[in-house]
């Protein structure tokens, strides 16, 4: 495109963005973030089929989600018009596949479009022409360009000319290569421009968008040329996301060799190709061989990616199926709980460390000690003495000046949360644990009851926005200097939930390759414990390993997790699941059950060796731990705040090396 054309183009663009000449050659647009600094947008690809192949349904759902997320713009990953692009600026397909399809008010935003290989089979210049923008002011399509949206910088890359086979073996297709000749220097200049744009960018998040895949287990697979030429530039410049279409699916691959997430949103219309290739399950986080689209929400500290299919009840805006949902945290310190002052406030959330588990940091008190409460099996809107337990936690929390609270899961009864908007979150959490001393970080794992609802809702940053104490992740590491906590997602270990779920429906999204999920998790737990240099090693899960209660031992954990705890000299295993308070001391590991957050008094207790069983209390209550470098003191309390049991564990001072 000639410079004059660009300038004419820009003149037509209105007030949303400004063309800024930069030292890089790529046209540059600015899109302001929301007043709170955040940004949200949808991504759709491979769509223009005059509404056919569910294009209209995808568009409808985009409208609903777009409204909900108050999106700032839409990105199209190309293949905008099938089969052969546009025939010219007057091609009716522009109306039939774009203007008349994406009609929802929330989609009346700027569309940033790149070209796909199908677009190159028509009149490419037509799609780039300002005439289309006169027809529909949302339309902006350029070969390669930059959108600066304050916290994020987007580099849109024209990927089609990279692919050799379109040149050497075009079959029956005719490509419109006007404007990219000579190809070699076109590509070399483009790569140089992308590299310098990334190097110059000071944005928190760097996002590259193209039509073709870099990594994909779909029909087209990896694009060899981009792997060789573009990927090294993305890696060198620590790009956070590469977003593409081309494969007609929704897909997320999390690279193990760099921090890049590869996100495919190519489900805008025709899909269901049915040919998925194998991909390393460590990287392959999500694959959906059907229609849909993606949303991205960005804050300075987090990128939240969700994929949606075409379903969703028009009457109920909450009911879109979210297929995959992944908050990706920025490698920086997050002032998690800004309201709280004093010594507790510091949490760092590092993304993708050597071990795969997310890692958080929590500072010690100035005197080098750490104290926290543990409660489990609680969310019942205050009933079954939940409020009484909460009240006593507030008193003890104050006395011990606790640093945080651990929840051992079964956070919401009976069936987890129905979604991010479920009022149970307020009724069972925010409005219950109201004491000032409990206004600390809560580290939560999921229980089996949580898996019976919308699991992703409990993991969602939306809850953290509602109550900044909330942090729930499937498995993660908490590094509190003298102590390292490894939180383990134990529910997927239990065969019964898969083989004999009874009337319960479990939400196994994210766990659907169960075997790999579990073996990866065990490997990560083992790696985290081996790497830990902390004095105290504590593992937290929902399910029991050793218990004389109603559920008893969890045989899958006994077989698979316990050997790892023993090998790594773990000091404590902390769990819930059995609705009681219990302490079993066995082979140097303290097994501590704190599952008395609400309903209890089951009355069915099994025999356990009195040598090992130090406490069994078949009622409501909670646990506190206070630790220093040389000692940990564990206390159990009932609903009246009476101390039921006290146990202190000495730690030998490390011998001089
Ligand atoms: C439309 O979507 C439904 C639900 O995903 C699917 O079963 C059907 O095959 C789709 N139709 C086409 C033509 O792809
Ligand atoms: C509440 O706690 C008291 C005291 O432990 C107990 O007697 C009572 O049964 C509990 N209520 C429920 C519903 O569990």
């Amino acid at each position: 495109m000639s410079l004059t054309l660009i300038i004419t183009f820009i003149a037509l663009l209105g007030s949303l963005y400004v063309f800024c000449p930069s030292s890089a050659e790529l046209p540059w647009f600015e899109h302001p973030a929301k007043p709170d600094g955040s940004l949200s947008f949808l991504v759709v690809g491979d769509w223009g089929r005059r509404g056919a192949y569910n294009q209209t349904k995808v568009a409808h759902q985009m409208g609903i989600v777009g409204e909900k997320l108050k999106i700032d713009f839409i990105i199209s990953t190309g293949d905008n018009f099938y089969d052969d692009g546009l025939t010219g600026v007057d091609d009716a397909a522009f109306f039939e596949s774009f203007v008349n399809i994406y009609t929802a008010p929330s989609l009346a935003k700027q569309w940033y479009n790149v070209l796909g290989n199908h677009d190159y089979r028509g009149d490419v210049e037509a799609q780039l022409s300002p005439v289309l923008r006169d027809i529909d002011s949302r339309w902006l399509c350029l070969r390669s360009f930059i959108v600066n949206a304050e916290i994020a910088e987007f580099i849109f890359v024209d990927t089609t000319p990279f692919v050799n086979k379109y040149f050497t073996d075009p079959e029956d297709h005719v490509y419109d290569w006007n404007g990219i000749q000579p190809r070699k220097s076109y590509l070399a200049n483009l790569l140089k421009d992308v590299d310098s744009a990334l190097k110059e960018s000071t944005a928190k998040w760097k996002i590259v968008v193209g039509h073709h895949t870099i990594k994909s287990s779909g029909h087209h697979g990896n694009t060899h040329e981009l792997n060789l030429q573009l990927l090294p530039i993305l890696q060198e410049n620590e790009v956070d996301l590469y977003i593409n279409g081309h494969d007609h699916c929704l897909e997320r691959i999390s690279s193990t060799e760099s921090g890049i997430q590869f996100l495919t949103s190519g489900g805008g219309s025709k899909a269901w190709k049915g040919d998925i290739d194998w991909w390393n399950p460590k990287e392959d986080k999500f694959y959906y061989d059907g229609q849909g689209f993606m949303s991205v929400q960005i804050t300075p500290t987090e990128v939240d990616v969700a994929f949606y299919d075409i379903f969703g009840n028009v009457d109920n805006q909450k009911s879109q199926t979210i297929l995959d949902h992944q908050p990706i945290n920025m490698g920086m310190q997050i002032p998690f709980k800004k309201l709280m002052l004093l010594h507790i406030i510091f949490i760092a959330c590092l993304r993708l460390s050597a071990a795969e588990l997310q890692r958080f940091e929590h500072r010690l008190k100035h005197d080098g000690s750490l104290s926290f409460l543990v409660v489990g099996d609680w969310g019942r809107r205050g009933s079954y003495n939940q409020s009484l337990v909460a009240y006593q936690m507030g008193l003890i929390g104050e006395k011990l000046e606790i640093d945080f609270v651990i929840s051992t899961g079964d956070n919401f009864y009976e069936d987890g949360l129905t979604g991010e908007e479920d009022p149970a979150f307020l009724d069972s959490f925010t409005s219950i644990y109201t004491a000032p001393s409990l206004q600390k970080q809560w580290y939560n794992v999921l229980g089996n009851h949580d898996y019976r609802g919308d699991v992703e809702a409990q993991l969602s940053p939306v809850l953290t926005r509602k109550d900044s104490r909330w942090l729930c992740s499937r498995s993660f590491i908490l590094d509190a200097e003298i102590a390292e906590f490894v939180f383990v997602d134990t529910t997927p270990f239990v065969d019964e939930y898969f083989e004999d779920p009874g009337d319960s429906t479990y939400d196994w999204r994210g766990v659907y390759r169960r075997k790999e999920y579990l073996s990866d998790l065990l490997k990560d737990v083992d790696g985290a414990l081996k790497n830990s240099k902390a004095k105290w090693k504590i593992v937290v899960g929902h399910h029991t390993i050793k218990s004389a209660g109603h559920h008893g031992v969890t045989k899958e954990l006994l077989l698979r997790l316990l050997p790892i705890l023993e090998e790594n000299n773990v000091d404590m295993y902390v769990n819930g699941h059995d609705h009681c308070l219990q302490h079993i001391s066995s082979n140097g590991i303290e097994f501590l059950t704190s599952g008395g957050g609400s309903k209890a008094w089951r009355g069915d207790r099994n025999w356990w060796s009195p040598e090992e069983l130090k406490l069994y209390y078949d009622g409501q209550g909670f646990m506190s731990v206070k630790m220093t470098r040389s000692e940990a003191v564990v206390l159990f309390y009932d609903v009246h705040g009476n101390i039921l049991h006290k146990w202190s564990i000495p730690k030998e001072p490390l011998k001089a090396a």
Side-chain angles (χ1 to χ4, degrees):
M1 190 190 296
S2 71
L3 190 61
T4 29
L5 185 51
I6 293 175
I7 289 165
T8 331
F9 206 100
I10 301 319
L12 290 160
L13 291 182
S15 59
L16 249 187
Y17 27 74
V18 190
F19 174 60
C20 305
S22 78
S23 58
E25 297 293 309
L26 298 175
W28 184 24
F29 302 91
E30 286 190 4
H31 200 121
K34 291 193 176 62
D36 68 0
S38 73
L39 192 71
S40 52
F41 57 93
L42 302 183
V43 183
V44 65
D46 306 84
W47 40 269
R49 296 186 193 265
R50 300 184 159 83
Y53 293 99
N54 289 337
Q55 189 197 351
T56 312
K57 288 195 177 143
V58 175
H60 179 72
Q61 293 300 330
M62 285 172 65
I64 295 170
V65 174
E67 168 118 28
K68 201 159 118 187
L69 302 184
K70 300 195 173 64
I71 53 161
D72 299 287
F73 53 81
I74 293 122
I75 287 175
S76 160
T77 56
D79 276 4
N80 306 322
F81 302 99
Y82 283 97
D83 271 315
D84 294 327
L86 294 180
T87 56
V89 289
D90 52 359
D91 189 335
F94 184 68
F95 280 90
E96 293 162 8
S97 291
F98 177 66
V99 181
N100 299 344
I101 299 286
Y102 302 101
T103 51
S106 72
L107 304 182
K109 302 283 154 62
Q110 187 59 53
W111 282 58
Y112 295 107
N113 305 278
V114 288
L115 296 165
N117 50 312
H118 283 267
D119 301 311
Y120 264 98
R121 295 187 194 166
D123 177 349
V124 167
E125 304 282 348
Q127 289 201 48
L128 306 175
S129 162
V131 174
L132 294 193
R133 192 174 172 82
D134 280 346
I135 298 173
D136 189 323
S137 61
R138 298 176 294 175
W139 187 260
L140 174 75
C141 182
L142 275 83
R143 292 187 205 265
S144 301
F145 58 107
I146 300 169
V147 173
N148 178 309
E150 306 182 26
I151 56 167
E153 186 135 331
F154 298 79
I155 321 276
F156 292 79
V157 181
D158 185 23
T159 57
T160 308
F162 281 89
V163 181
N164 291 328
K165 89 170 181 228
Y166 304 142
F167 293 84
T168 57
D169 184 20
E171 294 170 6
D172 296 335
H173 306 300
V174 180
Y175 291 88
D176 176 2
W177 297 130
N178 281 323
I180 65 138
Q181 303 288 9
R183 183 182 171 215
K184 225 173 117 183
S185 57
Y186 178 87
L187 297 179
N189 285 334
L190 177 49
L191 290 169
K192 204 160 6 117
D193 289 345
V194 170
D195 186 45
S196 62
L198 288 169
K199 285 208 168 42
E200 279 165 27
S201 168
T202 53
K204 278 227 141 71
W205 298 93
K206 295 179 191 173
I207 298 171
V208 173
V209 181
H211 175 66
H212 289 77
T213 58
I214 290 181
K215 293 181 186 254
S216 168
S217 60
H219 171 68
H220 294 295
N222 297 354
T223 306
H224 170 68
E225 295 86 346
L226 297 181
N227 263 280
L228 280 177
Q229 299 178 65
L230 183 59
L231 181 57
I233 295 174
L234 308 193
Q235 285 172 336
E236 190 188 316
N237 291 292
E238 299 184 330
V239 162
D240 299 287
L241 313 178
Y242 178 72
I243 298 177
N244 61 277
H246 198 44
D247 266 333
H248 297 183
C249 65
L250 305 173
E251 181 177 20
R252 178 165 68 85
I253 289 177
S254 186
S255 175
T256 51
E257 68 203 22
S258 69
I260 306 173
Q261 302 276 331
F262 296 88
L263 306 168
T264 299
S265 184
S269 61
K270 197 172 181 182
W272 306 111
K273 195 108 189 178
D275 52 351
I276 307 162
D277 292 329
W278 182 88
W279 195 276
N280 173 5
K282 263 202 124 81
E283 295 194 336
D284 184 0
K285 302 299 179 188
F286 170 68
Y287 191 95
Y288 178 70
D289 183 22
Q291 281 107 355
F293 60 100
M294 177 172 101
S295 74
V296 181
Q297 292 170 273
I298 302 187
T299 68
T301 54
E302 193 171 71
V303 165
D304 188 290
V305 177
F307 289 96
Y308 307 80
D309 67 14
I310 60 165
F311 301 107
N313 184 336
V314 201
D315 307 322
N316 177 358
Q317 302 223 335
K318 280 188 318 211
S319 66
Q320 279 82 28
T321 322
I322 297 180
L323 297 163
D324 176 66
H325 186 190
Q326 179 60 31
I328 300 159
N329 293 296
M330 190 72 174
M332 58 173 293
Q333 296 169 9
I334 306 171
F336 226 81
K337 177 102 183 123
K338 292 205 191 79
L339 295 171
M340 290 176 349
L341 312 162
L342 308 178
H343 40 262
I344 18 147
I345 330 330
F346 165 91
I347 281 190
C349 176
L350 307 174
R351 68 192 246 272
L352 308 175
S353 53
E356 295 291 303
L357 297 176
Q358 247 188 333
R359 196 178 176 89
F360 301 89
E361 287 181 11
H362 204 117
R363 275 214 183 129
L364 291 180
K365 289 197 183 57
H366 292 310
D367 67 2
S369 73
L370 185 73
S371 33
F372 56 93
L373 302 182
V374 183
V375 65
D377 306 83
W378 41 270
R380 297 187 192 265
R381 299 185 158 84
S383 68
Y384 293 98
N385 288 342
Q386 189 197 350
S387 301
L388 280 183
V389 175
Y391 177 73
Q392 292 299 337
M393 285 171 66
L395 298 181
I396 304 294
E398 169 119 26
K399 203 160 119 191
L400 297 182
E401 294 178 47
I402 55 159
D403 298 287
F404 52 82
V405 179
I406 287 175
S407 160
T408 56
D410 276 5
N411 307 322
F412 301 99
Y413 283 96
E414 287 287 329
D415 295 328
L417 294 179
T418 57
E420 290 161 352
E421 303 303 324
D422 190 334
F425 183 69
L426 286 183
D427 300 344
S428 291
F429 177 64
T430 307
S431 315
I432 300 288
Y433 302 102
T434 52
S437 72
L438 305 181
Q439 306 307 307
K440 303 283 154 65
Q441 187 61 55
W442 282 56
Y443 296 102
N444 305 279
V445 287
L446 296 165
N448 49 313
H449 282 267
D450 300 312
Y451 263 97
R452 295 187 193 165
D454 178 349
V455 166
E456 308 279 346
Q458 289 202 47
L459 307 176
S460 161
V462 172
L463 295 195
T464 309
R465 263 175 250 138
K466 289 184 205 272
D467 190 323
S468 59
R469 297 177 290 176
W470 187 259
L471 187 142
C472 183
S473 193
R474 291 188 205 264
S475 301
F476 59 104
I477 299 168
L478 173 63
D479 171 358
E481 307 184 37
I482 54 169
E484 187 134 327
F485 298 77
V486 182
F487 291 78
V488 181
D489 186 23
T490 58
T491 308
F493 281 89
V494 181
D495 293 334
E496 181 199 325
Y497 305 142
F498 293 83
E499 289 161 10
D500 184 20
D503 295 335
S504 308
T505 309
Y506 292 86
D507 176 2
W508 296 130
R509 278 176 300 167
V511 186
Y512 71 115
R513 283 180 177 149
R514 184 180 169 214
K515 228 174 111 183
E516 287 89 346
Y517 181 86
L518 297 179
S519 62
D520 286 350
L521 177 50
L522 289 168
K523 212 167 345 134
D524 290 344
V525 169
D526 187 46
L529 291 170
K530 285 208 168 43
N531 287 337
S532 168
K533 296 195 177 52
K535 273 255 167 214
W536 299 93
K537 293 179 193 175
I538 301 171
V539 174
V540 181
H542 175 65
H543 289 78
T544 57
I545 291 182
K546 302 199 176 202
S547 168
H550 171 70
H551 293 294
V553 302
T554 306
K555 67 172 194 315
E556 295 88 346
L557 297 182
L558 209 62
L559 279 174
R560 303 188 65 185
L561 184 58
L562 182 57
I564 294 174
L565 308 193
E566 284 173 344
E567 192 188 316
N568 291 291
N569 298 317
V570 161
D571 299 287
M572 307 174 197
Y573 177 73
V574 180
N575 61 277
H577 199 45
D578 266 334
H579 297 182
C580 65
L581 303 172
Q582 179 176 214
H583 175 199
I584 288 173
S585 187
S586 171
N587 276 338
I589 302 179
E590 311 306 322
F591 295 88
L592 304 164
T593 300
S594 183
S598 61
K599 199 173 179 182
W601 306 111
R602 190 107 194 188
D604 54 348
R605 171 189 162 178
N606 297 306
W607 183 87
W608 198 276
S609 148
E611 291 270 280
E612 292 191 344
L613 185 63
K614 309 295 180 192
L615 166 77
Y616 191 94
Y617 176 70
D618 183 21
Q620 282 107 354
F622 61 99
M623 180 175 106
S624 75
V625 180
K626 177 171 178 165
M627 55 204 329
T628 63
R629 227 161 256 285
S630 56
E631 188 187 36
V633 180
V634 179
L635 287 155
F636 287 92
Y637 310 81
D638 69 12
V639 287
H640 307 296
N642 298 316
I643 295 174
L644 299 165
H645 175 65
K646 177 174 174 179
W647 189 262
S648 104
I649 311 159
K651 188 67 122 177
E652 296 290 313
L654 207 67
K655 304 210 171 56

